[in-house]
Amino acid sequence: MKPYENIAELIANLESEIQAINAEITTLKTEPQSFNEQVVFKYIETGSTGKTKDFVRSLGVKSERGSLFSSGDVSKLIKAGSEDISPDLLDIARKITNMKNKNGKQRQ
């Protein structure tokens, strides 16, 4: 933790973190509203584009190109987003991607 000017600043910071975590929990409790959201939820659950790709393939869904869904398609969906995906859900998925990029294959 970084040093704070006073206890009030620390409390305000911690309360802000609690609000952010509660917002993420609310987002994750929401049922997927589209197929793309279902894909993003699976990525958040597994932390793996490969496992997410396997999930999509098991459903028989093909990519926009008409070929089998790939890990790259999952990455592209998370990076570019889509109109039918909640921005809050995308933020969570992108945080996972950033954690993986900073920590290698380890997910914390």
Side-chain angles (χ1 to χ4, degrees):
M1 251 205 265
K2 70 175 190 135
Y4 293 92
E5 293 293 320
N6 55 48
I7 294 295
E9 182 183 354
L10 173 59
I11 291 169
N13 187 34
L14 292 172
E15 287 175 337
S16 175
E17 288 179 28
I18 290 170
Q19 288 175 343
I21 290 169
N22 283 331
E24 286 184 358
I25 290 169
T26 299
T27 298
L28 294 172
K29 285 183 175 180
T30 305
E31 290 294 319
Q33 301 299 309
S34 67
F35 176 73
N36 283 336
E37 279 196 355
Q38 189 177 2
V39 172
V40 174
F41 267 106
K42 183 53 88 170
Y43 174 74
I44 290 169
E45 178 182 319
T46 64
S48 166
T49 56
K51 290 178 184 175
T52 304
K53 165 208 55 151
D54 292 341
F55 166 74
V56 174
R57 285 183 179 185
S58 74
L59 298 175
V61 176
K62 298 203 176 198
S63 71
E64 293 176 351
R65 301 177 315 278
S67 61
L68 290 175
F69 213 81
S70 70
S71 295
D73 292 320
V74 175
S75 295
K76 180 180 173 185
L77 181 62
I78 292 166
K79 186 176 181 179
S82 177
E83 289 183 13
D84 62 346
I85 302 174
S86 156
D88 295 334
L89 191 61
L90 277 175
D91 286 345
I92 294 169
R94 289 171 181 156
K95 280 183 188 178
I96 291 170
T97 300
N98 288 337
M99 283 190 303
K100 287 179 64 175
N101 289 341
K102 288 179 184 173
N103 299 322
K105 297 284 180 187
Q106 300 293 324
R107 184 169 170 209
Q108 312 235 352

